[in-house]
Amino acid sequence: MRLLRPGCLEMWRRARLVLLAGLLLPGLIPSAAEGQGVPVWGRWEGVFTAEATAPEETRLIVTFTAPSGKTRTVEGFWDGGRVWKVRFQPGEVGTWRYETRSEPAIPGLDGRQGSFQAQASAAAENRFLRHGAVGVSADGRYLVHADGTPFFWLGDTAWNGALLSSAEDWEAYLADRRWKRFTVVQFVTTQWRAAYANAEGQVAYTGYRQIRINPEFFRRLDERIDAVNRAGLLAAPVLLWALGDSTQVPGKLPEDQAIRLARYIVARYQGHHVVWILAGDEDYGRNGERWRRIGRAVFDRPGHAPVTLHPQGMQWRFDDFADERWLSLLLYQSGHGDDAGTLAWLHSGPPAEKWREPPARPVINAEPPYEGHRAYQSGQPHSAYNVRRAVYWSLLVAPTAGVTYGAHGIWSWQTEPGVPLNHRGTGVARPWREALRFPGSEDMRRVAELFESLEWWRLRPAPWLVGEQPEDPARFVGAAATEAGDQAVIYLPVGGAVRVALERLRPGVEASWFNPRDGSRRPARPGRGGRFAAPGAGDWVLLFVAPEEARRERAAGAP
């Protein structure tokens, strides 16, 4: 048994207490009692029993009427036997009413009516109960809660986590990620190429031409997604992983069956706080038309949570998706290479070039190199520095919205050292508990602290701020600034000096150096011609922030 050092033990105790406090928060526990109250932005669950045997493909459709009179229609899901359920997230205080219909009409499912109370929850500790569901901002550049609070996407990659973890281990993982200020967990919802079944040997579905869904598999998954939201983290489930053999991944199912499975998962978790990743690791150029059809079929009704796609590495296939109204944000994968071409793509490729093209959508690197993953070209494990460099570049070369971290061993949920299933070129992955302590995850906590100290949602790429770039792509200096010039962030990957166009910033901005390796700050003073020299070797962040008085003046004058 591995013993924790005293300092680590105390940190673990604090993190566990934070999570346990979250577990006791009301409102994310479903309720189905007639008239019983749930918090606004909590989850209401209704249970309906067919009076006779009904096919599992029977559709339960429920229309909810808000206190304001607005309506929203959602689908329920089959939960085994003669039981169907519906989960719903009320966004207004007051009495909500609902009415059901089923196709075909089945007594017990069709024509049911009822109501429940949604109660104010502004004092809740959980971020979702306090601020509401996450959507896309009015300008289309970042994510935001229903009450207008910006949401910074700091994702962690646990593709196999919800499938292979025990309940206790999953809680330990979430406690660590919450303490490190992650806000999103990305995971796979069905069997796929890196896990042919869950830890109990269950699969989400069987069959191919005509699938049969396994509710028992999803009841186990319910507990994992409940825990994500209770910890105050946004769930980012992949509905249909696409890369792999047709016998391994749901993304290769016949189109009608892929749609049926995705609609089932959406119905089951639409009452949770989520961003849907429709498909994972797909080439949306070659197979784009198929996924456009699937997206339209699955997300055919308004009011759903944000939807995105996870592409293959160093691909940008979104031009043909510009008119897809169901697609809310653009995730991309810069991948796990480390040669000059990969680095240039990361900071000067399509994400940096195409973010201006309409319509405006948040742009997020959802798979920079995983810490500990073998680099494609050098064959060496990616270091915390490699990951950190990719993260800062990603946050600055497109309008700042967020980024995702990954640790080799957590994504595959290793319980002992080994090469992940069907990922031979990635190298030996450490056990997830060991990977949990990789230094790069501590760097992500500092990323969150830095950007949350700024009005990050106003940042836009500012290559004009630093002028000429080094020829070596590894030395690229990333820069972003607000249109008002009252905030700016410049990332120097190898220290050295940078000449800043100070005349483009607001007079009186205060300059400081931020050390991304330990979170320390120190004043920064310019030399001749606006030249700033980093305090030492390694990577550094140069910050410019207007004094509080000027920022308050700007805020007061804003419309």
Side-chain angles (χ1 to χ4, degrees):
M1 178 178 179
R2 185 186 299 273
L3 297 177
L4 294 175
R5 297 191 303 272
C8 295
L9 181 60
E10 181 58 30
M11 183 182 75
W12 162 245
R13 286 172 176 164
R14 288 200 305 269
R16 188 171 176 83
L17 285 174
V18 167
L19 179 67
L20 290 175
L23 294 176
L24 298 176
L25 290 174
L28 294 179
I29 306 300
S31 170
E34 178 74 14
Q36 183 173 339
V38 297
V40 172
W41 306 117
R43 186 172 70 250
W44 179 86
E45 180 174 298
V47 181
F48 303 93
T49 303
E51 294 179 6
T53 301
E56 65 181 74
E57 297 86 356
T58 299
R59 296 178 65 187
L60 175 64
I61 302 163
V62 186
T63 297
F64 290 87
T65 302
S68 66
K70 296 178 182 178
T71 62
R72 185 182 167 203
T73 299
V74 303
E75 294 211 18
F77 61 92
W78 175 64
D79 201 34
R82 292 191 287 170
V83 175
W84 272 254
K85 294 181 178 179
V86 64
R87 291 171 177 165
F88 183 75
Q89 196 180 95
E92 295 181 20
V93 173
T95 301
W96 285 76
R97 303 187 184 281
Y98 64 84
E99 184 171 3
T100 73
R101 63 184 174 89
S102 67
E103 298 176 356
I106 302 291
L109 304 180
D110 193 65
R112 298 285 304 275
Q113 296 181 347
S115 65
F116 63 91
Q117 295 293 318
Q119 303 160 348
S121 53
E125 292 297 322
N126 185 283
R127 76 164 76 226
F128 303 114
L129 296 184
R130 188 167 68 252
H131 298 301
V134 170
V136 176
S137 63
D139 69 358
R141 293 302 183 194
Y142 60 97
L143 296 174
V144 64
H145 286 280
D147 69 354
T149 303
F151 179 88
F152 184 72
W153 175 299
L154 184 57
D156 192 46
T157 309
W159 296 136
N160 273 350
L163 299 174
L164 301 183
S165 64
S166 68
E168 182 179 0
D169 286 350
W170 190 238
E171 289 184 10
Y173 161 75
L174 295 173
D176 179 271
R177 270 20 195 174
R178 176 172 176 168
W179 186 80
K180 291 174 179 170
R181 301 181 72 159
F182 286 89
T183 59
V184 181
V185 178
Q186 300 172 191
F187 57 93
V188 178
T189 57
T190 71
Q191 67 264 30
W192 67 302
R193 64 191 296 247
Y196 294 153
N198 68 16
E200 285 74 33
Q202 301 165 336
V203 293
Y205 65 92
T206 55
Y208 180 75
R209 296 292 175 193
Q210 182 70 32
I211 65 169
R212 186 169 181 80
I213 291 171
N214 179 10
E216 187 177 357
F217 172 95
F218 287 103
R219 290 188 202 111
R220 181 189 184 280
L221 188 63
D222 291 350
E223 298 174 1
R224 303 299 183 273
I225 302 181
D226 286 350
V228 171
N229 281 174
R230 284 196 303 262
L233 301 170
L234 185 68
V238 180
L239 306 181
L240 303 169
W241 197 273
L243 181 63
D245 187 85
S246 61
T247 62
Q248 301 170 346
V249 295
K252 291 289 197 302
L253 286 169
E255 196 167 310
D256 64 329
Q257 298 303 294
I259 291 169
R260 181 178 161 223
L261 178 60
R263 290 178 74 105
Y264 180 90
I265 299 171
V266 169
R268 190 160 192 125
Y269 300 113
Q270 65 195 350
H272 291 72
H273 292 278
V274 300
V275 164
W276 305 113
I277 303 177
L278 175 59
D281 242 354
E282 177 62 292
D283 183 338
Y284 301 110
R286 183 178 59 192
N287 301 315
E289 185 52 42
R290 166 183 163 89
W291 289 104
R292 287 189 285 276
R293 290 193 302 267
I294 291 174
R296 294 167 198 158
V298 175
F299 301 104
D300 58 339
R301 292 193 175 98
H304 57 73
V307 184
T308 188
L309 297 163
H310 173 277
Q312 294 176 3
M314 294 177 63
Q315 290 191 2
W316 186 275
R317 310 293 198 205
F318 297 124
D319 293 355
D320 292 335
F321 286 78
D323 296 330
E324 297 302 316
R325 301 178 71 175
W326 54 269
L327 186 65
S328 314
L329 64 154
L330 306 181
L331 300 188
Y332 67 95
Q333 176 189 169
S334 62
H336 307 281
D338 63 351
D339 65 354
T342 300
L343 300 184
W345 191 97
L346 204 166
H347 58 62
S348 302
E353 296 173 344
K354 296 205 174 255
W355 66 264
R356 296 178 182 84
E357 296 181 0
R361 292 182 173 110
V363 176
I364 295 173
N365 189 352
E367 193 170 329
Y370 295 159
E371 188 171 4
H373 187 293
R374 179 183 292 165
Y376 293 148
Q377 289 81 28
S378 71
Q380 297 301 308
H382 278 290
S383 64
Y385 167 72
N386 286 6
V387 175
R388 191 169 63 243
R389 178 180 61 187
V391 162
Y392 278 96
W393 279 343
S394 300
L395 288 168
L396 300 178
V397 300
T400 304
V403 71
T404 296
Y405 166 83
H408 196 43
I410 289 181
W411 76 262
S412 54
W413 207 261
Q414 299 293 131
T415 55
E416 57 185 32
V419 176
L421 179 64
N422 291 320
H423 288 75
R424 185 175 54 186
T426 63
V428 174
R430 306 310 304 167
W432 73 268
R433 285 188 181 274
E434 184 177 332
L436 203 65
R437 301 191 296 273
F438 281 177
S441 64
E442 287 286 352
D443 291 338
M444 296 307 103
R445 180 171 61 85
R446 288 182 278 273
V447 166
E449 290 170 353
L450 171 62
F451 280 89
E452 289 175 4
S453 73
L454 305 169
E455 293 181 358
W456 55 264
W457 55 94
R458 297 195 293 122
L459 292 171
R460 299 292 181 269
W464 45 264
L465 192 58
V466 297
E468 202 169 306
Q469 289 284 354
E471 292 185 7
D472 181 357
R475 302 177 68 90
F476 176 85
V477 177
T482 61
E483 292 181 1
D486 58 344
Q487 295 182 66
V489 182
I490 300 175
Y491 177 69
L492 286 70
V494 290
V498 61
R499 194 176 301 278
V500 180
L502 292 173
E503 70 278 5
R504 305 285 295 271
L505 297 177
R506 174 172 293 187
V509 291
E510 298 173 350
S512 62
W513 289 104
F514 175 83
N515 187 333
R517 286 154 279 129
D518 63 16
S520 62
R521 302 189 188 216
R522 63 185 73 185
R525 295 177 178 84
R528 181 176 299 176
R531 184 176 181 275
F532 288 81
D539 54 335
W540 288 88
V541 180
L542 180 58
L543 300 174
F544 295 91
V545 181
E548 283 301 313
E549 294 77 13
R551 293 178 65 188
R552 280 198 295 269
E553 180 182 347
R554 182 202 61 76

